[in-house]
Amino acid sequence: MGITGTLCFQFQCDGQDVTSKLKEMKVHSILFLNISHYGGGTKPWGNSGLGQFQTPATDDGMIEVIGLTTYQLPLLQAGGHGSSIAQCKKAKLVTSCTIPVQVDGEPCRLAPSIIEIELLNTVNMIAKTKVKKNLVVASY
């Protein structure tokens, strides 16, 4: 979600307001993930949050919130990473103006809105292991 230069948003993680942190870091985009890789295999969480946050996992019930500046965004493809903002069970973004967004890679303009993101359910997934040719069941 692009938020550069705009003061028309408020952002909360688990009820805690982190708007000032995003503005202080001059974040251009906010990325919400529950997977370790994004956009062609990049790892936007990197190691920037280690020590302050848990190691991200698909089965931990947490949403990783990553801030990206205009400098960090293109460097993702070259092995760079964003800034770890928070890990939370529920994220809430309130906008009071139209902003550009992408959802699963689809761009659009979003009118003033309240967006709440939280994990709903988990399912078992079948994945092929790289070591053996057997199928394994993993919970994500």
Side-chain angles (χ1 to χ4, degrees):
M1 292 188 178
I3 57 175
T4 300
T6 144
L7 302 174
C8 61
F9 72 94
Q10 198 173 27
F11 183 64
Q12 296 177 357
C13 284
D14 291 334
Q16 181 181 4
D17 192 332
V18 291
T19 307
S20 59
K21 185 175 183 179
L22 292 174
K23 291 178 180 178
E24 197 175 284
M25 297 172 79
K26 298 183 180 173
V27 166
H28 173 74
S29 299
I30 305 170
L31 185 60
F32 301 92
L33 291 178
N34 186 37
I35 55 176
S36 59
H37 293 75
Y38 165 80
T42 65
K43 294 182 180 181
W45 186 262
N47 294 325
S48 64
L50 296 181
Q52 184 180 0
F53 300 109
Q54 303 174 42
T55 301
T58 55
D59 61 353
D60 63 1
M62 303 295 273
I63 300 166
E64 278 70 47
V65 182
I66 299 120
L68 297 164
T69 64
T70 53
Y71 177 75
Q72 292 168 320
L73 188 58
L75 289 178
L76 285 179
Q77 296 298 326
H81 58 81
S83 301
S84 303
I85 302 297
Q87 285 180 310
C88 54
K89 295 203 178 278
K90 185 174 184 178
K92 181 177 180 180
L93 180 69
V94 179
T95 66
S96 57
C97 65
T98 301
I99 61 170
V101 299
Q102 278 190 7
V103 178
D104 285 340
E106 296 298 322
C108 66
R109 292 173 50 118
L110 183 69
S113 303
I114 298 173
I115 303 164
E116 294 183 343
I117 302 170
E118 61 185 307
L119 299 176
L120 181 59
N121 295 314
T122 60
V123 296
N124 288 334
M125 293 186 63
I126 298 173
K128 198 180 246 187
T129 63
K130 292 184 180 184
V131 178
K132 299 179 183 178
K133 301 234 184 232
N134 299 335
L135 293 178
V136 295
V137 177
S139 177
Y140 289 96

